[in-house]
Amino acid sequence: MNAKSLSKLCAPCLAILLAAATGCSYVVDAVEAQIMNRASFSITVTDNHNGTVTVDWEDIDDLDSGAFAGYEIYVTDTPNDEFAGYRVIAAEYSLSSSTDVDSGLHYDTTRSATVNFTPNSAGDVYYFRVAAIYWDEEKESDREKNWTFDKVGHTWTSSYPDSENRWFYENKSGIDKVSGGLRVQF
Amino acid sequence: MRKLLFAAAFVSSAVLSVPAYVSAASYEASSLFNSVGRSETVQDLFFERWETILDRQLYIDLYGKINWVNDFKVHTINQGNGQPQTIPMTLVRTYGSLTIDIPVLGGYDNTELTKRLNKGSSGNADDQESDSSGGGLWKPKNLQVAFTATGFHYGLTRKAAVDRGSAGDESVTDYRFTQFFDDIFSLSVLYMPYVYVHGGVIMNNQIEPKADGTMSYADSKNGYPEFRWFFASNLLSFLNTNATITKGKVEKMAVGTEVVKFVEMFTKVPKVVPRVTITGKQLALYNDETYDSVWVKSAFIHGTASAKNREMVDGDRQHAKLYTASILVSEDFKNIFFADFFAEYQYCPATLIEKRTDQKLDLAPLREMRGSVGCNFFGFNPANIYALTLTVGMGQYWDPAIALHRTSGTGHSLTGYFSSLKFEHPLFGVELDASYNYSKELRKLVETADKVAVEASLFVRF
């Protein structure tokens, strides 16, 4: 067994030891949570009383810079309803007519963003979330190899902003980590 | 890609609810909060894995299963407007087990890998075609030391839809309400085939998620985790005992006998004879807890006219034990045809008052009865190292909480069915199950009454 083989065994061996030390229930819960996009970090939201809110989020555990595609900020699309769906209000690209474009959301080191947002009425309650978006192909080498014109009709580029990079963002990315839903009353 | 790998490793089950009518009743937890019942469930799974480990002489057994049960309608307050609302949520059940088993003296039969990992390899390995399953009982095989971590997580989650505009729609989930984590950490010493013992601790934990739906494993509720001591033993391959002790009291005690193994001490028994296990159990199941579906002895606090309630002090809670006697008959014909039958009878000496009706509840003598038959289509060729087994079965289960959780019909008993297809290689396997009100599932979680489950699991062993 050479050094490379030994290093590949490290991750599963560590997972096994982790399961043994912490309890299998927590390990399998963490696995299920990863599959189901479970909320895993918290945010704060400040109403700036000028038609904008500032959203701050804590460091995200296990954030993979190589797979990271950007942050997105969401708000409930119906006021005064904890169980409403969410819509995107800020991203590095204009994903909808109501999306603020914020180039800072392209960088994994960003921890804050100020977004245009006006509630329907004073006193309304909204819920906010932040998501870390990952590329479907998490390694750059896989993106270069598999996202070619002959395979997907577009050529991968990491250059931002770029129309090709935007196409991949809209079609080949997904939520990997998401915050809890923070209640804000305006 | 990572999520696909996780999904491949732990395959989920999607459960379709099949209500005969739309029920106005919302979810009320019962067995979910019962740590006595949950401890029994995690022990049952511990013993299931160990049966495989001993049968196939494994060094490592790694098993995982994820199950989602949808359409749990929960009464809650919408924090956006302060109004009560009934919201569909998902009950998540995840199970994992890891055992590392090392023979420190002697070794396993068969050094050849696929032969050692074959079903029944710990038996008469040198002569698997023989009709005799006896012989060798007084010849020591080995001394093994093992560590097992087995755990079960239950909890409700809620899905939220996210519209990413031109990037598409996705969903995210939040933890909702109390999350339950039950883990066994056990050390085992096995002096085969004479005796083995498992001893360790069961840790029952409850964690309350934060208001934003996130959760930290360090945020246990006050008073948790609770610990129970766990002990199990097997003597001469036929006498099984196990006990659980909490707060200085015996919470569960069980004694079982494998009849054929006992007879084999004196004479050889043909392999075609079914395996018969008789077990007696005492379980401190009814404890006047808020989540129980019954009160013990009376609906009023002893010596008062006050109704029992969730705020009553521990000293006012009354307790009752459940006594059961069960028989399990299982047959494995040349690893081709399988059949099993299980029946369990119950008795509780105390009066139980059903909370739903305020009436005395008479326990049905028969708590559970189930049977199954199966066929390994690859077993007709003994040289085949693979197995493809189709199993079907049905069962009936009686529980005080069934009347509360069922969405159609009345009564405390449900009859259900299951089928499973399992593909096995000596080193790994995958199983797909479909069940509806099957007794083994209701026994684990009575809240799954009247819900169809499709579930798959994966194991790796060496």
Side-chain angles (χ1 to χ4, degrees):
Chain A
M1 180 178 286
N2 57 28
K4 191 173 179 184
S5 303
L6 193 62
S7 67
K8 283 187 179 175
L9 280 178
C10 280
C13 287
L14 282 173
I16 289 170
L17 287 172
L18 182 66
T22 61
C24 285
S25 65
Y26 303 93
V27 173
V28 287
D29 174 61
V31 170
E32 188 269 342
Q34 177 69 21
I35 296 171
M36 295 303 288
N37 285 342
R38 190 71 36 76
S40 60
F41 62 97
S42 296
I43 65 174
T44 59
V45 174
T46 305
D47 178 7
N48 298 318
H49 301 286
N50 60 2
T52 68
V53 294
T54 298
V55 182
D56 298 283
W57 54 96
E58 57 190 13
D59 286 346
I60 300 173
D61 289 339
D62 305 322
L63 189 67
D64 182 352
S65 300
F68 180 80
Y71 291 108
E72 291 176 6
I73 299 174
Y74 313 109
V75 72
T76 40
D77 55 19
T78 306
N80 307 313
D81 186 359
E82 180 186 4
F83 304 117
Y86 288 75
R87 61 182 173 87
V88 61
I89 57 170
E92 63 189 271
Y93 290 110
S94 174
L95 302 179
S96 71
S97 58
S98 58
T99 307
D100 272 5
V101 176
D102 184 341
S103 59
L105 297 176
H106 174 74
Y107 303 98
D108 63 320
T109 52
T110 299
R111 293 289 181 273
S112 181
T114 297
V115 183
N116 290 313
F117 182 78
T118 303
N120 274 6
S121 308
D124 276 351
V125 172
Y126 288 87
Y127 286 79
F128 289 82
R129 289 186 194 262
V130 172
I133 307 299
Y134 276 22
W135 299 113
D136 290 350
E137 293 280 9
E138 293 186 357
K139 292 183 182 171
E140 178 73 17
S141 56
D142 289 338
R143 294 194 284 272
E144 288 171 353
K145 184 176 108 179
N146 298 323
W147 290 355
T148 58
F149 188 84
D150 58 320
K151 289 182 182 174
V152 298
H154 290 263
T155 303
W156 163 253
T157 173
S158 60
S159 174
Y160 170 80
D162 181 281
S163 60
E164 286 290 85
N165 183 268
R166 175 179 177 150
W167 186 90
F168 284 101
Y169 188 88
E170 289 174 327
N171 293 282
K172 298 289 187 183
S173 72
I175 294 173
D176 192 271
K177 296 184 192 306
V178 67
S179 74
L182 180 72
R183 181 183 187 276
V184 179
Q185 183 162 23
F186 287 85
Chain B
M1 179 60 70
R2 183 183 303 178
K3 289 194 173 74
L4 285 176
L5 289 174
F6 278 131
F10 297 98
V11 183
S12 65
S13 75
V15 177
L16 310 172
S17 65
V18 188
Y21 64 91
V22 176
S23 170
S26 68
Y27 165 76
E28 291 181 44
S30 53
S31 57
L32 204 56
F33 278 89
N34 190 333
S35 57
V36 176
R38 295 201 328 268
S39 296
E40 201 191 0
T41 297
V42 74
Q43 286 176 71
D44 286 344
L45 294 164
F46 172 91
F47 292 126
E48 267 183 36
R49 295 317 305 161
W50 263 100
E51 196 170 320
T52 299
I53 291 162
L54 290 174
D55 185 56
R56 295 174 188 259
Q57 305 183 93
L58 303 178
Y59 293 102
I60 291 177
D61 178 65
L62 187 62
Y63 182 82
K65 180 160 63 179
I66 302 177
N67 178 298
W68 289 288
V69 182
N70 294 320
D71 204 34
F72 274 80
K73 293 183 174 59
V74 181
H75 271 329
T76 186
I77 301 294
N78 187 323
Q79 298 297 327
N81 53 38
Q83 297 301 310
Q85 199 169 340
T86 300
I87 299 295
M89 298 194 186
T90 299
L91 176 68
V92 176
R93 296 183 294 171
T94 58
Y95 167 67
S97 180
L98 165 69
T99 297
I100 301 171
D101 185 7
I102 308 293
V104 295
L105 290 175
Y108 289 141
D109 300 327
N110 289 312
T111 54
E112 203 272 310
L113 182 69
T114 52
K115 281 189 180 174
R116 174 172 63 81
L117 297 178
N118 268 345
K119 189 175 183 186
S121 66
S122 65
N124 195 349
D126 293 331
D127 189 3
Q128 299 210 346
E129 296 300 320
S130 168
D131 279 338
S132 169
S133 58
L137 191 60
W138 299 108
K139 184 181 174 184
K141 284 190 180 180
N142 53 49
L143 175 68
Q144 303 170 35
V145 176
F147 170 76
T148 302
T150 294
F152 226 133
H153 161 244
Y154 299 87
L156 285 173
T157 63
R158 190 192 75 87
K159 187 182 287 189
V162 174
D163 176 3
R164 295 180 60 210
S166 56
D169 296 328
E170 293 197 41
S171 63
V172 297
T173 59
D174 297 315
Y175 290 106
R176 300 291 299 200
F177 304 108
T178 307
Q179 305 291 310
F180 303 89
F181 296 86
D182 302 304
D183 289 276
I184 289 179
F185 298 93
S186 168
L187 287 174
S188 307
V189 178
L190 303 91
Y191 186 59
M192 300 303 284
Y194 297 131
V195 63
Y196 60 80
V197 295
H198 306 291
V201 63
I202 302 174
M203 186 170 78
N204 303 108
N205 200 5
Q206 293 186 20
I207 302 176
E208 203 69 36
K210 298 173 190 167
D212 66 355
T214 60
M215 184 183 73
S216 166
Y217 294 136
D219 286 344
S220 299
K221 284 173 85 169
N222 273 346
Y224 288 92
E226 288 182 340
F227 294 92
R228 290 168 162 79
W229 297 104
F230 153 73
F231 170 82
S233 69
N234 175 281
L235 184 62
L236 297 176
S237 299
F238 76 91
L239 183 64
N240 292 306
T241 60
N242 67 81
T244 308
I245 298 169
T246 183
K247 297 174 184 170
K249 294 182 183 174
V250 176
E251 187 174 79
K252 172 193 160 186
M253 193 179 326
V255 179
T257 301
E258 294 195 36
V259 176
V260 171
K261 294 280 188 184
F262 174 73
V263 173
E264 281 177 347
M265 290 176 63
F266 309 103
T267 184
K268 288 189 178 179
V269 177
K271 264 193 171 179
V272 73
V273 173
R275 182 176 152 188
V276 179
T277 307
I278 298 172
T279 304
K281 196 185 293 185
Q282 168 195 291
L283 187 61
L285 190 59
Y286 304 115
N287 299 292
D288 269 354
E289 296 289 355
T290 307
Y291 48 75
D292 282 340
S293 55
V294 297
W295 294 119
V296 177
K297 297 179 185 169
S298 168
F300 298 93
I301 297 175
H302 181 63
T304 76
S306 304
K308 288 179 177 175
N309 54 76
R310 61 175 65 225
E311 281 81 34
M312 66 183 181
V313 299
D314 284 351
D316 288 333
R317 296 183 199 279
Q318 293 176 289
H319 307 275
K321 289 186 167 63
L322 182 70
Y323 296 88
T324 67
S326 65
I327 181 168
L328 170 66
V329 181
S330 55
E331 172 65 60
D332 174 350
F333 183 72
K334 294 185 183 294
N335 199 31
I336 301 173
F337 298 108
F338 310 96
D340 69 61
F341 171 80
F342 175 83
E344 184 180 54
Y345 295 86
Q346 62 179 350
Y347 170 70
C348 178
T351 298
L352 299 177
I353 306 296
E354 189 174 7
K355 290 180 184 177
R356 191 176 60 93
T357 61
D358 279 336
Q359 300 294 316
K360 179 173 176 283
L361 180 66
D362 292 318
L363 268 64
L366 185 62
R367 188 186 190 202
E368 182 182 359
M369 185 166 64
R370 64 173 189 264
S372 70
V373 292
C375 175
N376 170 15
F377 298 108
F378 292 167
F380 293 98
N381 177 2
N384 209 330
I385 63 170
Y386 297 94
L388 180 67
T389 308
L390 174 68
T391 309
V392 295
M394 62 183 293
Q396 180 180 300
Y397 188 64
W398 190 99
D399 189 280
I402 281 179
L404 178 65
H405 292 295
R406 63 191 307 163
T407 57
S408 63
T410 59
H412 302 89
S413 173
L414 281 172
T415 299
Y417 315 89
F418 92 100
S419 65
S420 78
L421 186 65
K422 180 158 70 173
F423 172 77
E424 282 183 275
H425 175 275
L427 288 173
F428 62 89
V430 61
E431 183 172 355
L432 184 68
D433 295 308
S435 66
Y436 176 68
N437 284 341
Y438 186 53
S439 58
K440 277 184 92 171
E441 290 301 311
L442 292 174
R443 193 186 183 96
K444 286 178 204 165
L445 202 63
V446 71
E447 285 87 340
T448 58
D450 282 346
K451 289 177 170 59
V452 174
V454 176
E455 176 183 273
S457 54
L458 184 72
F459 63 82
V460 175
R461 57 195 178 204
F462 174 73

